[in-house]
Coordinates of all heavy atoms in Angstrom, one line a residue:
E36 N 0.8 -1.2 0.0 CA 0.0 0.0 0.0 C 0.8 1.3 0.0 O 0.4 2.3 -0.5 CB -0.9 0.0 1.2 CG -2.0 -1.0 1.2 CD -1.5 -2.4 1.7 OE1 -0.4 -2.4 2.4 OE2 -2.2 -3.4 1.5
F37 N 2.0 1.2 0.6 CA 2.8 2.5 0.8 C 3.1 3.2 -0.5 O 3.0 4.4 -0.6 CB 4.1 2.2 1.6 CG 4.9 3.4 1.8 CD1 4.5 4.5 2.6 CD2 6.1 3.6 1.1 CE1 5.2 5.6 2.8 CE2 6.9 4.7 1.3 CZ 6.4 5.8 2.1
A38 N 3.5 2.5 -1.6 CA 4.0 3.1 -2.7 C 2.8 4.0 -3.4 O 3.0 5.1 -3.9 CB 4.4 2.1 -3.8
I39 N 1.6 3.4 -3.3 CA 0.4 4.1 -3.8 C 0.0 5.3 -3.0 O -0.2 6.4 -3.5 CB -0.8 3.1 -3.9 CG1 -0.5 1.9 -4.8 CG2 -2.0 3.9 -4.5 CD1 -1.5 0.8 -4.7
A40 N 0.0 5.1 -1.7 CA -0.3 6.2 -0.8 C 0.7 7.3 -0.8 O 0.4 8.5 -0.9 CB -0.4 5.7 0.7
D41 N 2.0 7.0 -0.9 CA 3.1 8.0 -0.9 C 3.0 8.8 -2.2 O 3.2 10.0 -2.3 CB 4.4 7.2 -0.7 CG 5.6 8.3 -0.7 OD1 5.6 9.1 0.2 OD2 6.5 8.2 -1.5
R42 N 2.8 8.1 -3.3 CA 2.7 8.7 -4.6 C 1.6 9.8 -4.6 O 1.8 10.9 -5.1 CB 2.5 7.7 -5.7 CG 2.4 8.4 -7.1 CD 2.1 7.3 -8.2 NE 2.0 8.0 -9.5 CZ 1.0 7.7 -10.4 NH1 0.2 6.7 -10.2 NH2 1.0 8.3 -11.6
A43 N 0.4 9.4 -4.1 CA -0.7 10.3 -4.0 C -0.4 11.5 -3.1 O -0.6 12.7 -3.5 CB -2.0 9.6 -3.5
A44 N 0.3 11.3 -2.0 CA 0.7 12.3 -1.1 C 1.6 13.3 -1.8 O 1.5 14.5 -1.7 CB 1.3 11.8 0.2
Q45 N 2.7 12.7 -2.5 CA 3.6 13.6 -3.1 C 3.0 14.4 -4.3 O 3.3 15.6 -4.5 CB 4.8 12.7 -3.7 CG 5.5 11.9 -2.7 CD 6.1 12.8 -1.6 OE1 6.6 13.9 -1.8 NE2 6.0 12.3 -0.3
Q46 N 2.0 13.9 -5.0 CA 1.3 14.6 -6.0 C 0.6 15.8 -5.4 O 0.6 16.9 -6.0 CB 0.3 13.7 -6.7 CG 1.0 12.7 -7.7 CD -0.1 11.8 -8.3 OE1 -0.8 11.1 -7.6 NE2 -0.1 11.8 -9.6
V47 N 0.0 15.6 -4.2 CA -0.7 16.7 -3.6 C 0.2 17.7 -3.1 O 0.1 19.0 -3.2 CB -1.6 16.2 -2.5 CG1 -2.2 17.3 -1.7 CG2 -2.8 15.4 -3.1
M48 N 1.3 17.2 -2.4 CA 2.3 18.2 -1.9 C 2.9 19.1 -3.0 O 3.3 20.2 -2.7 CB 3.5 17.4 -1.2 CG 3.1 16.8 0.1 SD 4.4 15.8 0.8 CE 5.6 17.0 1.1
A49 N 3.0 18.6 -4.2 CA 3.6 19.4 -5.3 C 2.7 20.5 -5.7 O 3.1 21.4 -6.4 CB 3.8 18.5 -6.5
R50 N 1.5 20.5 -5.1 CA 0.5 21.6 -5.5 C 0.2 22.5 -4.4 O -0.7 23.4 -4.5 CB -0.8 20.9 -6.1 CG -0.6 20.3 -7.5 CD -1.7 19.4 -7.9 NE -1.5 19.0 -9.3 CZ -0.6 18.2 -9.8 NH1 0.2 17.6 -9.0 NH2 -0.6 17.9 -11.1
I51 N 0.9 22.5 -3.3 CA 0.5 23.3 -2.2 C 1.4 24.6 -2.0 O 1.0 25.5 -1.3 CB 0.5 22.5 -0.8 CG1 1.8 22.0 -0.4 CG2 -0.6 21.4 -0.9 CD1 1.8 21.3 0.9
D52 N 2.6 24.5 -2.6 CA 3.5 25.7 -2.5 C 2.9 27.0 -3.0 O 2.3 27.0 -4.1 CB 4.8 25.4 -3.3 CG 5.7 24.4 -2.6 OD1 5.4 24.1 -1.4 OD2 6.6 23.9 -3.1
G53 N 2.9 28.0 -2.2 CA 2.5 29.3 -2.6 C 1.0 29.5 -2.6 O 0.5 30.6 -2.9
K54 N 0.2 28.5 -2.1 CA -1.2 28.6 -2.0 C -1.6 29.4 -0.8 O -1.0 29.3 0.2 CB -1.9 27.2 -2.0 CG -1.7 26.4 -3.3 CD -2.4 27.1 -4.5 CE -2.4 26.2 -5.7 NZ -1.0 25.9 -6.1
D55 N -2.7 30.1 -0.9 CA -3.3 30.9 0.2 C -4.4 30.1 0.8 O -5.5 29.9 0.2 CB -3.8 32.2 -0.3 CG -4.4 33.1 0.8 OD1 -4.3 32.7 2.0 OD2 -4.9 34.2 0.5
Y56 N -4.2 29.6 2.0 CA -5.2 28.7 2.7 C -5.9 29.5 3.8 O -6.5 28.9 4.7 CB -4.6 27.5 3.2 CG -4.1 26.5 2.2 CD1 -2.7 26.4 2.0 CD2 -5.0 25.9 1.3 CE1 -2.2 25.5 0.9 CE2 -4.5 25.0 0.3 CZ -3.1 24.9 0.2 OH -2.7 24.0 -0.8
T57 N -5.9 30.8 3.8 CA -6.5 31.5 4.9 C -8.1 31.3 4.9 O -8.7 31.5 5.9 CB -6.3 33.1 4.7 OG1 -6.7 33.5 3.3 CG2 -4.8 33.4 4.9
V58 N -8.7 31.0 3.7 CA -10.1 30.7 3.7 C -10.4 29.5 4.7 O -11.5 29.5 5.2 CB -10.6 30.4 2.3 CG1 -10.0 29.1 1.8 CG2 -12.1 30.3 2.2
L59 N -9.5 28.6 4.8 CA -9.7 27.5 5.7 C -9.6 27.9 7.2 O -10.2 27.2 8.1 CB -8.7 26.3 5.5 CG -8.6 25.9 4.0 CD1 -7.5 24.7 3.9 CD2 -10.0 25.3 3.6
E60 N -8.9 29.0 7.5 CA -8.7 29.4 8.8 C -9.9 30.2 9.4 O -10.1 30.3 10.6 CB -7.5 30.4 8.9 CG -6.2 29.8 8.4 CD -5.1 30.8 8.2 OE1 -5.3 32.0 8.6 OE2 -4.1 30.4 7.7
A61 N -10.8 30.7 8.6 CA -11.9 31.6 9.1 C -12.8 30.8 10.0 O -13.2 31.4 11.0 CB -12.7 32.1 7.8
H62 N -13.1 29.6 9.7 CA -13.9 28.8 10.6 C -13.2 27.8 11.4 O -13.8 27.0 12.2 CB -15.0 28.0 9.7 CG -15.8 28.9 8.9 ND1 -16.9 29.6 9.4 CD2 -15.8 29.3 7.6 CE1 -17.5 30.4 8.5 NE2 -16.8 30.2 7.4
S63 N -11.9 27.8 11.3 CA -11.0 26.9 12.1 C -9.7 27.6 12.4 O -8.7 27.3 11.8 CB -10.8 25.6 11.5 OG -10.1 24.7 12.3
P64 N -9.7 28.6 13.3 CA -8.6 29.4 13.5 C -7.2 28.7 13.9 O -6.2 29.2 13.7 CB -9.0 30.4 14.6 CG -10.4 30.4 14.5 CD -10.8 29.1 14.1
G65 N -7.4 27.4 14.4 CA -6.2 26.7 14.7 C -5.4 26.3 13.6 O -4.2 25.9 13.7
L66 N -5.9 26.5 12.3 CA -5.2 26.2 11.1 C -4.3 27.4 10.7 O -3.5 27.2 9.7 CB -6.2 25.9 10.0 CG -7.0 24.7 10.1 CD1 -8.0 24.5 9.0 CD2 -6.2 23.4 10.4
K67 N -4.3 28.5 11.4 CA -3.5 29.6 11.0 C -2.0 29.2 11.2 O -1.5 28.7 12.2 CB -3.7 30.8 11.9 CG -2.9 32.0 11.5 CD -3.4 33.3 12.4 CE -2.6 34.5 11.9 NZ -3.1 35.7 12.7
G68 N -1.2 29.4 10.1 CA 0.2 29.0 10.1 C 0.4 27.5 10.1 O 1.5 27.1 10.4
F69 N -0.6 26.7 9.8 CA -0.5 25.3 9.8 C 0.5 24.8 8.8 O 0.6 25.3 7.7 CB -1.8 24.6 9.5 CG -1.9 23.2 9.9 CD1 -2.0 22.8 11.2 CD2 -2.0 22.2 8.9 CE1 -2.1 21.5 11.5 CE2 -2.1 20.9 9.3 CZ -2.2 20.5 10.6
N70 N 1.3 23.7 9.1 CA 2.3 23.1 8.2 C 1.6 22.1 7.4 O 1.6 20.9 7.7 CB 3.4 22.5 9.1 CG 4.6 22.0 8.2 OD1 4.4 21.7 7.0 ND2 5.7 21.8 8.8
W71 N 1.1 22.5 6.2 CA 0.3 21.6 5.4 C 1.2 20.6 4.7 O 0.7 19.4 4.5 CB -0.5 22.4 4.3 CG -1.6 23.3 4.9 CD1 -1.6 24.6 5.0 CD2 -2.8 22.8 5.5 NE1 -2.8 25.0 5.6 CE2 -3.5 23.9 5.9 CE3 -3.3 21.5 5.7 CZ2 -4.8 23.8 6.5 CZ3 -4.5 21.3 6.3 CH2 -5.2 22.5 6.7
A72 N 2.4 20.9 4.4 CA 3.3 20.0 3.8 C 3.5 18.8 4.7 O 3.5 17.6 4.3 CB 4.6 20.6 3.4
N73 N 3.8 19.0 6.0 CA 4.0 18.0 6.9 C 2.7 17.2 7.1 O 2.7 15.9 7.2 CB 4.4 18.6 8.3 CG 4.7 17.5 9.3 OD1 5.7 16.7 9.1 ND2 4.1 17.5 10.4
Y74 N 1.5 17.8 7.1 CA 0.3 17.2 7.3 C 0.0 16.2 6.1 O -0.3 15.0 6.3 CB -0.8 18.2 7.3 CG -2.3 17.7 7.1 CD1 -2.9 17.2 8.2 CD2 -2.9 17.7 5.9 CE1 -4.2 16.7 8.1 CE2 -4.2 17.3 5.7 CZ -4.9 16.8 6.8 OH -6.2 16.3 6.7
I75 N 0.3 16.6 4.9 CA 0.1 15.7 3.7 C 1.1 14.6 3.7 O 0.8 13.4 3.4 CB 0.2 16.5 2.4 CG1 -0.9 17.6 2.3 CG2 0.1 15.6 1.2 CD1 -2.3 17.0 2.3
N76 N 2.4 14.9 4.1 CA 3.4 13.9 4.1 C 3.0 12.8 5.1 O 3.1 11.6 4.8 CB 4.7 14.5 4.4 CG 5.9 13.6 4.2 OD1 5.9 12.8 3.3 ND2 6.9 13.6 5.1
L77 N 2.7 13.2 6.3 CA 2.3 12.2 7.3 C 1.0 11.5 7.0 O 0.7 10.4 7.6 CB 2.2 12.9 8.7 CG 3.5 13.4 9.3 CD1 3.2 14.0 10.7 CD2 4.5 12.3 9.5
S78 N 0.2 12.0 6.2 CA -1.1 11.4 5.9 C -1.0 10.0 5.4 O -1.9 9.2 5.5 CB -1.9 12.3 4.8 OG -1.3 12.2 3.6
S79 N 0.2 9.6 4.8 CA 0.4 8.2 4.4 C 0.2 7.2 5.5 O -0.2 6.1 5.2 CB 1.8 8.1 3.7 OG 2.0 8.8 2.6
I80 N 0.5 7.6 6.7 CA 0.3 6.8 7.9 C -1.1 6.4 8.0 O -1.4 5.2 8.3 CB 0.8 7.5 9.1 CG1 2.3 7.8 9.1 CG2 0.5 6.6 10.4 CD1 2.7 8.8 10.2
R81 N -2.1 7.2 7.7 CA -3.5 7.0 7.8 C -3.9 6.3 6.5 O -4.8 5.3 6.6 CB -4.3 8.3 8.0 CG -3.8 9.0 9.3 CD -4.4 10.4 9.3 NE -5.8 10.5 9.1 CZ -6.4 11.5 8.6 NH1 -5.8 12.5 8.1 NH2 -7.8 11.5 8.5

């Protein structure tokens, strides 16, 4: 399973640089300054 999960995670990580995610923070302020790259990378565990 890992190769498939890791490939999907890497594909998503390649698209997050420079994106403005403040719209996600409006209703969940804990996401301010969130490390999305780390979140996506670790998502393979799940």
Side-chain angles (χ1 to χ4, degrees):
E36 294 82 19
F37 177 69
I39 303 173
D41 184 61
R42 180 182 178 219
Q45 298 304 319
Q46 287 177 302
V47 171
M48 285 175 65
R50 285 162 171 76
I51 65 177
D52 285 346
K54 294 293 187 304
D55 181 3
Y56 293 110
T57 54
V58 66
L59 306 180
E60 301 168 9
H62 300 281
S63 188
L66 297 179
K67 186 174 183 179
F69 196 72
N70 187 339
W71 291 112
N73 186 59
Y74 168 81
I75 298 297
N76 192 38
L77 291 180
S78 70
S79 294
I80 299 171
R81 302 164 59 209

